[in-house]
Amino acid sequence: MSTIPQISSRTLVLIVVSIAINMIGGQITSMVKLPIFLDSIGTLICALLGGPWVALFTGLLTNLLWGLISGPMAAAFAPVAMMIGLSAGLLARAGGFRSLIRVIGSGIIITLALMIVAVPIRTYLFGGATGSGADFFVAYFHAVGEGLIESVAITVLGANLADKILSAIIAWLLVRQLPQKTQRNFPAMAKVR
């Protein structure tokens, strides 16, 4: 008989706070129609403090909750949020958040990983348009002769590259500022210095 791994109360609080951070960041950028998202800062914080599985779960829950509140489009992108959490957690364990240059490199790798999942979802489920500020770029590239998949891929790459690098830097800076006492509460925490 297998046992279910126990999640500490600190980790549960981390997940809840991270979901709130994701939703606040995403809501702000959605309201002002920015071509970036800022909806994964909490997931990246979870990746640094709790590891890949905690971050994957946080991304999943964020998008499912968002789907219940705002509509099914957010839930459709849950696999993207899961990929962000998983890849960020694995990069954190591998030392990808030990210096600013590594954080920037991790943001690039996270973007490439999420593209594997995001491009097909945005292209085949939504025809390239999701109501975000990035829709203009999809329409532009498609209008100048790029195919729909290429237009979506270029847009996803551009928007997420800026977004994930910025989000990774913000998460890294926030975690670095946590007091040592707080950091010790997360035994799976990645090295951030």
Side-chain angles (χ1 to χ4, degrees):
M1 181 165 151
S2 66
T3 60
I4 297 173
Q6 297 295 314
I7 297 177
S8 73
S9 58
R10 286 182 186 101
T11 301
L12 287 175
V13 170
L14 173 65
I15 291 169
V16 171
V17 170
S18 295
I19 290 170
I21 292 169
N22 286 343
M23 294 183 82
I24 291 167
Q27 193 61 38
I28 290 170
T29 58
S30 177
M31 287 177 2
V32 295
K33 297 288 187 197
L34 292 176
I36 59 173
F37 311 105
L38 299 181
D39 60 356
S40 60
I41 294 170
T43 302
L44 295 172
I45 290 170
C46 273
L48 292 169
L49 293 174
W53 302 112
V54 173
L56 179 145
F57 190 62
T58 300
L60 171 66
L61 288 179
T62 298
N63 281 61
L64 292 180
L65 181 60
W66 223 330
L68 290 173
I69 294 169
S70 68
M73 185 175 300
F77 283 93
V80 177
M82 294 167 66
M83 178 63 85
I84 292 166
L86 179 64
S87 59
L90 293 172
L91 286 162
R93 281 193 176 166
F97 287 82
R98 287 188 181 168
S99 66
L100 179 58
I101 194 72
R102 287 182 180 211
V103 172
I104 293 168
S106 291
I108 293 168
I109 294 169
I110 292 165
T111 299
L112 296 174
L114 74 82
M115 285 183 66
I116 296 167
V117 182
V119 171
I121 292 171
R122 188 174 179 123
T123 303
Y124 298 112
L125 287 182
F126 301 106
T130 61
S132 73
D135 289 350
F136 167 79
F137 296 102
V138 173
Y140 172 78
F141 289 122
H142 196 54
V144 297
E146 295 291 337
L148 182 59
I149 293 172
E150 292 82 7
S151 298
V152 169
I154 293 167
T155 301
V156 167
L157 176 64
N160 279 285
L161 199 55
D163 177 68
K164 296 311 173 273
I165 291 172
L166 180 60
S167 295
I169 291 170
I170 292 169
W172 176 66
L173 290 172
L174 289 172
V175 170
R176 284 173 54 106
Q177 297 305 312
L178 289 175
Q180 289 293 323
K181 181 180 178 185
T182 303
Q183 291 181 13
R184 282 192 292 271
N185 289 323
F186 296 98
M189 181 179 161
K191 293 190 185 311
V192 293
R193 296 183 195 274

